[in-house]
Amino acid sequence: MTAAQDSRNSYAPADWAGGYRTLEAEQAYGIDDIEGTIPAGLAGTLFRNGPGRFERGGVSYKHPFDGDGMISAVRFAGGRAYFQNRFVRTEGFIQESAAGRILSKNVFGTLRPGGFWTNAFDFGFKNVANTGIVYHGGRLLALWEAAPPHRLDPASLETFGLDDLAGVLCGGKPFAAHPRLDPATGDLISFGVRTGLQTLLYIYRLSPDGGVRIESEHTVPGFAFVHDFALSENYWIFFQNPMALDPLPFVLGFKAAGECLRLAPGEPTRILLIPRNGGPVQTIATDPFFVFHHVNAFEREGRIVVDSIRYEEYITTQEDRDFRQTDFSRLPEGWLWRTQIDPANGRVEARPLLRRSAEFPQVHPDRVGRPYRFAFAAAVHAAGRNAPLQAIAKLDVETGQALFHSFAPSGFVSEPIFVPRPDGTAEDDGWLLAMVYDARRDRSDLWILDGRDLSCLTRLGLKHHVPYSLHGTFVPEVFVHF
Ligand SMILES: [Fe+2]
């Protein structure tokens, strides 16, 4: 615990802020700082995506989500591990690298220098490709929800360019950062939202052989901020947050789009149940709340169960301070809630399963859309007070029993990825791969935890920090020899 640490906090704010520094260098090396042993059955590649650059030409981006997408890969083979990182060469990244200054308006807060005169009536956005990454049907795609994905070389992480998925995304259709692999079919299901006074919702199906098609297309009344979705045996499930966009400051160039969002007073959260086999969409209004991420969904006795991280308020930018000085005590907590929907009568029941801030939930890949028992997530060190994510959590959603492994005070975690043990049968028999920034050493480590008891098996020490990332994926392919 450092002197600067508030005694009520599990962390020192300056330590947390250290994870939001640009990682300029692009590197590739074998990891030799290893404590413990890499599990024999762990083979493949962990890809992670997140903002890696937070300023340009001496001017800081206003929000971390405006940061340029950087891919990290940790490859495992033969008991060894290899690290690599590379920025996604988006059009904005290439142009701003050449110019040495910010040229683009961003979604979450960063405007071009020059205020009103350079930002007014500019409706373009920089596709920063920083939110998610998926490998399916031979394509490695860096995802950003308001635009098509960028395709990358899984061996070199080189950017090939925007991918319209064989023309399916013609006209720049958006492709969200939250696809889900349906274990029943092996297909990757994704969606895209184009919103305004009303919303167009596209659902995409990507087959393992590389085929892509629009599964269905829907018009949803009103503005929709939808970041994630869930699937169950018979439904695609979307929660339409009760949000409104105040357009004037955006149009006039005083604010970025993300800063003009607010909770719409008196509006409910709307649950969209889209039958997978066609049929009319059912829209069910319920109490207002806000959701970025769903854990999982399934059907039981005619009811649809959806587990999500739920906030009672929308998380707004703290305009009085730099994002590196975020006051976590002013942020709403995100608890894991269970929502049960009866499609026959539209009745909704909801209750919290975990009363502690958590985010980036995961389940065993074979349990997606099916009854399940274990949710894994990143969580705060202690209940009762919001804070950065410093712990890995495991929740038994049947019994309510929760386990935590905290890296406080100097460790700050990112989304843990669950990798099933190849010969395992139990739902929690596998490993959690978690990138943890250790402020004390100003380095990041990839930790391998046992999914059964959250014990730490292995620490892979990197030679530098990795800025806090958003989403990742694990695939059994290694793609390179090392
Ligand atoms: Fe997300």
Side-chain angles (χ1 to χ4, degrees):
M1 194 173 288
T2 64
Q5 187 176 338
D6 184 320
S7 59
R8 297 167 301 164
N9 281 342
S10 59
Y11 69 104
D15 283 356
W16 170 75
Y20 270 136
R21 291 180 356 268
T22 296
L23 176 61
E24 194 85 44
E26 297 182 313
Q27 310 184 54
Y29 56 89
I31 300 171
D32 52 19
D33 174 15
I34 300 178
E35 276 177 36
T37 306
I38 296 172
L42 181 61
T45 305
L46 171 72
F47 290 110
R48 294 204 56 77
N49 192 359
R53 164 178 279 281
F54 304 96
E55 70 279 307
R56 181 71 78 179
V59 178
S60 174
Y61 298 165
K62 196 169 172 190
H63 195 290
F65 294 173
D66 289 337
D68 300 281
M70 189 196 77
I71 309 301
S72 302
V74 181
R75 305 176 201 270
F76 299 93
R80 293 181 299 136
Y82 184 87
F83 176 85
Q84 193 177 4
N85 73 300
R86 197 155 187 173
F87 281 93
V88 184
R89 264 50 179 190
T90 64
E91 191 187 343
F93 182 90
I94 293 168
Q95 291 178 353
E96 292 184 343
S97 295
R101 60 192 170 90
I102 296 172
L103 299 173
S104 317
K105 189 171 175 177
N106 281 255
V107 166
F108 285 97
T110 307
L111 301 174
R112 293 185 294 193
F116 171 82
W117 299 105
T118 53
N119 290 285
F121 306 107
D122 175 1
F123 303 110
F125 291 126
K126 179 178 166 190
N127 176 350
V128 287
N130 69 2
T131 315
I133 186 160
V134 67
Y135 181 74
H136 189 76
R139 295 183 180 92
L140 181 65
L141 302 172
L143 309 175
W144 185 71
E145 68 191 21
H150 285 77
R151 187 165 174 185
L152 312 173
D153 181 339
S156 67
L157 305 182
E158 182 189 340
T159 304
F160 294 140
L162 282 170
D163 192 335
D164 70 359
L165 303 182
V168 166
L169 303 182
C170 61
K173 286 191 188 70
F175 189 90
H178 278 278
R180 289 186 188 260
L181 190 70
D182 182 357
T185 63
D187 291 342
L188 189 79
I189 307 299
S190 187
F191 69 96
V193 170
R194 186 172 271 168
T195 193
L197 295 176
Q198 65 174 14
T199 297
L200 271 177
L201 170 63
Y202 304 96
I203 298 174
Y204 309 113
R205 181 182 290 275
L206 289 73
S207 56
D209 65 6
V212 187
R213 65 181 164 88
I214 295 181
E215 175 85 359
S216 58
E217 197 174 322
H218 309 271
T219 303
V220 178
F223 177 82
F225 184 153
V226 179
H227 179 70
D228 193 5
F229 85 118
L231 61 91
S232 67
E233 191 183 346
N234 294 297
Y235 296 95
W236 315 124
I237 303 156
F238 293 84
F239 282 16
Q240 186 181 4
N241 294 304
M243 304 296 295
L245 181 73
D246 182 10
L248 201 59
F250 169 65
V251 171
L252 294 179
F254 295 122
K255 289 186 175 183
E259 296 175 296
C260 301
L261 290 170
R262 55 184 166 78
L263 269 186
E267 285 290 309
T269 288
R270 292 186 172 86
I271 299 170
L272 311 180
L273 301 176
I274 303 178
R276 291 175 60 158
N277 295 321
V281 176
Q282 195 173 348
T283 304
I284 299 172
T286 188
D287 303 334
F289 56 84
F290 185 86
V291 164
F292 282 114
H293 296 126
H294 298 292
V295 184
N296 199 15
F298 59 91
E299 292 169 36
R300 187 164 60 190
E301 296 162 1
R303 297 209 292 177
I304 303 163
V305 179
V306 187
D307 293 343
S308 319
I309 305 293
R310 166 173 164 166
Y311 300 85
E312 301 309 309
E313 301 162 45
Y314 177 61
I315 304 169
T316 49
T317 307
Q318 294 176 356
E319 297 196 13
D320 57 337
R321 57 188 61 212
D322 184 278
F323 71 83
R324 298 165 192 85
Q325 273 122 36
T326 294
D327 179 353
F328 280 83
S329 70
R330 282 162 50 190
L331 296 181
E333 291 191 61
W335 289 358
L336 200 163
W337 282 67
R338 170 156 291 185
T339 305
Q340 301 196 75
I341 307 142
D342 188 336
N345 58 21
R347 195 168 297 151
V348 178
E349 289 171 19
R351 64 186 166 93
L353 298 183
L354 180 65
R355 296 168 190 266
R356 181 192 294 219
S357 264
E359 258 300 354
F360 302 119
Q362 286 270 310
V363 296
H364 188 299
D366 281 347
R367 305 321 308 161
V368 172
R370 297 167 168 170
Y372 77 110
R373 186 158 169 199
F374 299 113
F376 301 98
V380 297
H381 171 73
R385 185 179 168 87
N386 215 344
L389 301 168
Q390 294 190 278
I392 303 299
K394 176 188 182 185
L395 175 69
D396 183 334
V397 295
E398 293 295 320
T399 66
Q401 190 187 11
L403 272 179
F404 299 92
H405 184 103
S406 177
F407 292 88
S410 66
F412 299 89
V413 309
S414 297
E415 169 196 65
I417 298 290
F418 181 79
V419 180
R421 190 189 303 273
D423 53 358
T425 53
E427 190 184 318
D428 57 352
D429 190 1
W431 306 287
L432 288 160
L433 307 183
M435 193 70 84
V436 182
Y437 170 62
D438 179 7
R440 189 177 50 83
R441 294 161 41 243
D442 195 20
R443 296 278 186 278
S444 292
D445 299 304
L446 187 79
W447 284 90
I448 304 173
L449 284 72
D450 191 318
R452 293 169 296 189
D453 59 7
L454 299 191
S455 59
C456 286
L457 302 174
T458 322
R459 182 186 67 82
L460 305 172
L462 304 183
K463 298 178 177 179
H464 45 80
H465 82 293
V466 175
Y468 300 128
S469 52
L470 292 168
H471 296 294
T473 189
F474 185 86
V475 296
E477 295 87 348
V478 178
F479 303 105
V480 295
H481 296 289
F482 63 90

